[in-house]
């Protein structure tokens, strides 16, 4: 296979709370993404703030960090051909209202903040984000 990449996926608190982990994982498998690592964790606010540091200047930073730390999340390493961009496509637009049919955010997202899933936006950020959760 050419272009095999890895990316970081997070199933956010709103989706974990609604018991959507298995359904979302099955969609990953249907899309030929393999789940290389999986863990369910609950970040504290400091850890969430570290993870979302790139957004520290944004007006929504504080509420974003509180939200990510508000409940358990499921964190996964996905692997597959061009998985960084393919998974971004499968997630859909940040705001579920703008997301296309059959994207995860259209199917499961509640609002721009409770948009159910996170995915790395580049190969470089995928490496950083994978390392944040799965240091070895
Ligand atoms: N977000 C928010 N309000 C905004 C923009 C973004 O609460 O006005 C949240 C949203 O949950 C998003 C996260 O901040 O998923 C990170 O924003 P980014 O622009 O990186 O969107 P993503 O890469 O997740 O699509
Ligand atoms: Mg982003």
């Amino acid at each position: 296979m050419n272009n095999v990449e890895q990316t970081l996926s997070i199933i956010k608190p709103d989706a974990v709370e609604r018991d959507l982990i298995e359904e979302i994982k099955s969609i990953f498998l249907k899309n030929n993404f393999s789940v290389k690592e999986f863990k369910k964790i609950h970040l504290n606010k400091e850890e969430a703030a570290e993870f979302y540091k790139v957004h520290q200047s944004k007006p929504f930073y504080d509420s974003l960090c509180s939200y990510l730390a508000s409940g358990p999340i499921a964190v996964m390493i996905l692997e597959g051909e061009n998985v960084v961009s393919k998974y971004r496509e499968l997630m859909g637009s940040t705001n579920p209202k703008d997301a296309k049919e059959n994207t995860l955010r259209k199917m499961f997202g509640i609002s721009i903040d409770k948009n159910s899933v996170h995915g790395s936006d580049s190969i470089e950020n995928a490496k950083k984000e994978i390392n944040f959760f799965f240091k070895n």
Side-chain angles (χ1 to χ4, degrees):
M1 270 205 303
N2 293 319
N3 283 316
V4 176
E5 301 168 352
Q6 292 191 333
T7 195
L8 184 88
S9 166
I10 303 177
I11 301 179
K12 295 185 179 183
D14 65 274
V16 172
E17 188 177 271
R18 287 175 287 148
D19 262 330
L20 292 168
I21 294 176
E22 288 311 315
E23 190 170 349
I24 292 174
K25 261 171 88 173
S26 75
I27 296 171
F28 292 161
L29 300 180
K30 264 189 234 154
N31 279 269
N32 295 317
F33 304 161
S34 54
V35 178
K36 303 302 280 185
E37 299 278 354
F38 174 95
K39 68 180 176 188
K40 203 172 159 185
I41 52 170
H42 190 161
L43 297 181
N44 64 37
K45 177 110 187 246
E46 291 66 38
E47 291 164 332
E50 182 61 30
F51 177 73
Y52 271 136
K53 216 171 174 177
V54 299
H55 294 300
Q56 63 189 333
S57 62
K58 311 267 173 67
F60 57 84
Y61 181 60
D62 189 64
S63 63
L64 175 63
C65 300
S66 299
Y67 171 62
L68 193 68
S70 69
I73 57 175
V75 190
M76 273 158 277
I77 299 176
L78 302 181
E79 189 178 278
E81 256 186 283
N82 301 312
V83 72
V84 174
S85 61
K86 281 188 181 166
Y87 175 46
R88 292 286 301 185
E89 227 169 273
L90 179 67
M91 285 201 302
S93 301
T94 306
N95 191 339
K97 280 187 192 147
D98 302 327
K100 291 185 191 149
E101 289 302 322
N102 295 316
T103 61
L104 297 172
R105 284 166 167 172
K106 174 74 175 183
M107 289 189 280
F108 305 121
I110 296 168
S111 58
I112 192 162
D113 48 327
K114 295 182 176 175
N115 60 4
S116 303
V117 280
H118 167 86
S120 312
D121 61 7
S122 65
I123 293 177
E124 192 192 341
N125 284 333
K127 286 182 182 148
K128 288 184 193 159
E129 293 180 0
I130 286 169
N131 196 46
F132 180 87
F133 287 105
F134 300 98
K135 289 193 185 79
N136 43 42

